[in-house]
């Protein structure tokens, strides 16, 4: 499940809620060239690397996807995706629209979820309220948000984050619905089991002279 949306829209909080609710869901850890914020933990929120190291990783083909987001380089290391695909472990990725579109192209089973703000004013208010970025950085993030909004029709789901409880419920509902999809739900094995049980029941009934 790939979650995108403008900076400040509350993606992190919603993902945290959904991971708490589904302990078997894992969150992919991206590499990132910006310095950590005070509350961020290395290896949990991101792997913080220098731009030089990031470029070495690009050259060594270590990323499944990477993008320049607001002037910083962010990328999904290949092992993060391999763990999801080989192990059948449901994984949530928080990446920008460029990363989301690359992932969908490479892995059509990926589910893209866009988190939208209830209004432009709300988004701006949240970005300024965070108090961790300068005016220039905030302006740059708002400009990127405009581009991101234009990619919204490429997403499978859109959740408007007006109320975190409600939006969190909706994100959990997307995960639940996607897990119930026929092609993901081992349906062939289930149908075969039900048919075998039906045949056995019919044979029993015939033996007992009930049919
Ligand atoms: P921030 O610097 O606020 O943590 O992240 C800024 C943006 O970078 C977020 O909107 C997030 O979606 C995006 N981002 C984080 N990790 C990745 C990644 O691995 N790949 C891509 N393409 N974008 C990412």
């Amino acid at each position: 499940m790939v979650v995108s949306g403008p900076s400040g829209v509350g993606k992190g909080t919603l993902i945290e809620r959904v991971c708490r609710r589904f302990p078997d869901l894992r969150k992919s850890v991206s590499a990132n060239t910006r310095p950590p914020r005070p509350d961020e933990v290395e290896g949990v929120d991101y792997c913080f690397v220098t731009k030089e190291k990031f470029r070495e990783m690009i050259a060594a083909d270590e990323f499944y996807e990477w993008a320049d987001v607001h002037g910083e380089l962010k990328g999904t290391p290949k092992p993060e995706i391999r763990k999801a695909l080989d192990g059948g472990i449901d994984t949530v990725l928080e990446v920008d629209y460029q990363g989301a579109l690359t992932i969908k192209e490479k892995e059509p089973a990926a589910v893209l979820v866009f988190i939208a703000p209830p209004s432009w004013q709300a988004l701006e208010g949240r970005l300024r309220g965070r108090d961790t970025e300068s005016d220039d950085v905030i302006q740059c993030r708002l400009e990127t948000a405009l581009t991101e909004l234009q990619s919204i029709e490429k997403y499978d789901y859109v959740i408007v984050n007006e109320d975190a409880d409600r939006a969190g419920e909706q994100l959990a509902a997307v995960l639940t619905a996607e897990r119930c999809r026929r092609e993901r739900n081992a349906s062939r094995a289930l149908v075969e089991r039900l048919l075998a049980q039906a045949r056995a029941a019919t044979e029993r009934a015939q033996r007992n002279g009930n049919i």
Side-chain angles (χ1 to χ4, degrees):
M1 185 162 80
V2 179
V3 178
S4 310
S7 183
V9 81
K11 302 180 292 285
T13 309
L14 299 183
I15 290 173
E16 214 177 280
R17 282 173 183 236
V18 124
C19 285
R20 232 181 292 134
R21 171 118 165 234
F22 298 95
D24 55 336
L25 184 68
R26 56 175 290 281
K27 187 181 176 304
S28 164
V29 180
S30 294
N32 188 351
T33 60
R34 77 158 163 71
R37 296 187 183 122
D39 58 338
E40 286 179 328
V41 178
E42 162 71 28
V44 175
D45 297 291
Y46 283 110
C47 289
F48 294 97
V49 298
T50 60
K51 283 198 171 139
E52 191 187 2
K53 169 76 183 152
F54 197 101
R55 291 207 180 90
E56 280 170 23
M57 290 169 81
I58 296 172
D61 195 25
E62 288 182 28
F63 290 115
Y64 188 78
E65 64 74 36
W66 68 272
D68 183 326
V69 186
H70 323 296
E72 299 290 350
L73 306 176
K74 328 247 175 178
T76 309
K78 281 185 178 171
E80 293 294 305
I81 298 285
R82 219 170 289 131
K83 273 184 233 165
L85 295 179
D86 295 351
I89 302 164
D90 286 343
T91 301
V92 57
L93 295 102
E94 186 193 332
V95 302
D96 83 319
Y97 71 100
Q98 306 169 80
L101 301 186
T102 306
I103 292 169
K104 185 79 175 179
E105 210 177 292
K106 291 188 179 181
E107 186 46 62
V111 178
L112 305 194
V113 184
F114 192 94
I115 312 293
S119 69
W120 190 254
Q121 287 76 9
L123 181 67
E124 200 171 340
R126 279 187 209 170
L127 271 175
R128 295 199 187 283
R130 274 215 303 220
D131 224 21
T132 49
E133 271 100 16
S134 66
D135 276 356
D136 282 357
V137 170
I138 290 172
Q139 198 48 43
C140 168
R141 287 179 179 230
L142 287 170
E143 279 162 24
T144 308
L146 277 180
T147 315
E148 281 173 314
L149 284 168
Q150 282 156 20
S151 69
I152 207 163
E153 82 276 8
K154 303 268 174 41
Y155 283 75
D156 301 302
Y157 296 90
V158 175
I159 292 174
V160 178
N161 188 12
E162 178 146 32
D163 170 79
D165 286 341
R166 187 152 182 267
E169 283 298 318
Q170 290 175 341
L171 192 57
V174 167
L175 183 68
T176 302
E178 288 295 329
R179 282 178 164 178
C180 291
R181 266 189 187 279
R182 176 180 45 75
E183 61 274 25
R184 289 204 179 97
N185 207 10
S187 56
R188 190 170 296 277
L190 173 68
V191 168
E192 274 163 17
R193 199 170 68 238
L194 290 173
L195 288 177
Q197 288 166 350
R199 273 195 297 274
T202 307
E203 279 164 21
R204 254 195 323 274
Q206 281 168 342
R207 271 199 308 276
N208 295 338
N210 294 338
I211 294 182

